[in-house]
Every structure is written in C-alpha cells, then in structure tokens.
Amino acid sequence: MLVQDSESQAFLQRMAYEESVRTRRIQGVRTVLVVLSAAGMVFDVESLRQKISSAYPEAAVFFRTTLGAPMGPISPDRVDLLIDLTGPGQRQGIFYARKLRKMAKVAVGRNAGLFRKAIYNHVFDERQQAKSLPAEKLARERVVQRAVLELVGIAFVQAGDSAPDRGKIVPLDLPPLSSAK
C-alpha cells in the first residue's frame, strides 16, 4: 500500500473533485446566460466569464441582473444553458423563471421560487442543506453559487493555496553535517 503525505493527499482529492465535476458538463453549449444573485456578487463578472469559458470554450457568455436588466451585451432570445443564481427572497418577477426556462435548452438554478424545482433541469435546494451552510450571508452565497455552477460542470479548484511552512520539519530530515578537519 502506498503511503502519501497529507499535501499529496489533498492535491489528489482536488483532482478527483475536479474530474467528478467535469463529468456533469453539457454537450453542445454555444450560448450561456447567467442571472446574477442580488444578495451578493461572490465572483466578479469577468472571473465568472473566464470559468464558464474554460468549461465551455465555444460558448458566448451573457449576464443579466435578477430583475432582468442586461449587464453588457444583450443576450439572444434562445440560449443553450441558463445558470440562474437568484436566491430565495430576492426580487424577481413571479413568472420570470418560466420566461427564462422557455428561452433555454437546459436550465440550472437555486430553489428560490414557486416553480423552479419543477421546471429547471437541475436545482440546488439550499433549504434542505441549511444546517450545513454558513450563517454569514456572503459565505453562504459563495458556497451555494459554487454548488450551482458545479451542477453544470464548472469547477472552482483553488490551486494557488500556499503550502504549510515546512522550515522546521525539513532540517530534521537532513543528515548531520560532517566536520572536516
């Protein structure tokens, strides 16, 4: 049996997580519409565009606010993938989710309104997992928005974490210096 140090184990777990998320990608996506959350922007628009473009390289990405106002270029009337990050209690028209669903081939979002669980293809229900989610609003949004993006194969793997300080451990593993006379 191969014994691995904790750092190698952590990197292998990250790679396994990313591979499991990649299997959820949807084929043939050329246009993506993202409806941003009104509770908080955890990811800025350009980093979100970059993550979506890396998952779906041939796709054009469009953004809208929770109320339906475009952010940047106006999206086409038909899109391949809808990612709705609108959460519970955020202002949105009663039938806006149905309108969004009609314009998308595949719809993914949060269980935030009357019809989403029934009409969206994939829904992250944060009410069922309320105990495991952070209480602080922005931390909660970060966890939930990442979970919604994972439903369509967009992984957020932090690769730039700093490794623990091994300055006191490494010298203990070195052989002692020999004195030359």
Side-chain angles (χ1 to χ4, degrees):
M1 181 173 189
L2 181 64
V3 178
Q4 297 172 342
D5 63 310
S6 61
E7 290 176 42
S8 297
Q9 189 64 30
F11 284 118
L12 287 173
Q13 287 174 349
R14 287 180 185 174
M15 288 171 52
Y17 155 77
E18 189 173 5
E19 283 301 316
S20 69
V21 171
R22 280 186 188 166
T23 61
R24 300 178 191 153
R25 289 193 180 154
I26 300 159
Q27 299 298 320
V29 174
R30 297 207 180 271
T31 53
V32 179
L33 175 61
V34 181
V35 180
L36 299 170
S37 171
M41 294 231 350
V42 177
F43 310 106
D44 65 297
V45 174
E46 291 307 316
S47 69
L48 204 53
R49 184 185 314 273
Q50 186 269 334
K51 286 295 185 184
I52 294 169
S53 295
S54 67
Y56 300 101
E58 297 176 358
V61 183
F62 303 94
F63 294 95
R64 284 191 185 175
T65 65
T66 303
L67 297 174
M71 292 184 66
I74 297 173
S75 64
D77 293 337
R78 304 282 306 155
V79 294
D80 296 322
L81 176 62
L82 166 69
I83 303 172
D84 190 357
L85 300 176
T86 304
Q90 297 177 16
R91 290 183 153 177
Q92 193 176 53
I94 295 173
F95 297 108
Y96 188 59
R98 283 201 181 269
K99 178 182 175 184
L100 290 172
R101 178 62 187 114
K102 286 179 183 176
M103 68 186 295
K105 289 181 185 174
V106 178
V108 177
R110 297 162 72 171
N111 189 21
L114 297 170
F115 311 111
R116 292 191 186 154
K117 201 165 193 175
I119 63 172
Y120 281 10
N121 297 90
H122 304 287
V123 174
F124 179 78
D125 194 358
E126 59 195 276
R127 293 175 185 150
Q128 289 180 348
Q129 301 179 11
K131 292 182 180 179
S132 65
L133 295 174
E136 197 269 318
K137 192 177 203 176
L138 199 56
R140 182 184 193 96
E141 284 292 315
R142 180 176 294 113
V143 171
V144 171
Q145 289 181 21
R146 284 179 69 162
V148 171
L149 293 169
E150 288 170 5
L151 290 174
V152 291
I154 301 169
F156 283 86
V157 178
Q158 297 293 330
D161 293 343
S162 60
D165 183 19
R166 296 180 48 132
K168 293 182 181 176
I169 299 171
V170 172
L172 297 175
D173 296 338
L174 295 174
L177 295 173
S178 61
S179 58
K181 289 188 176 185

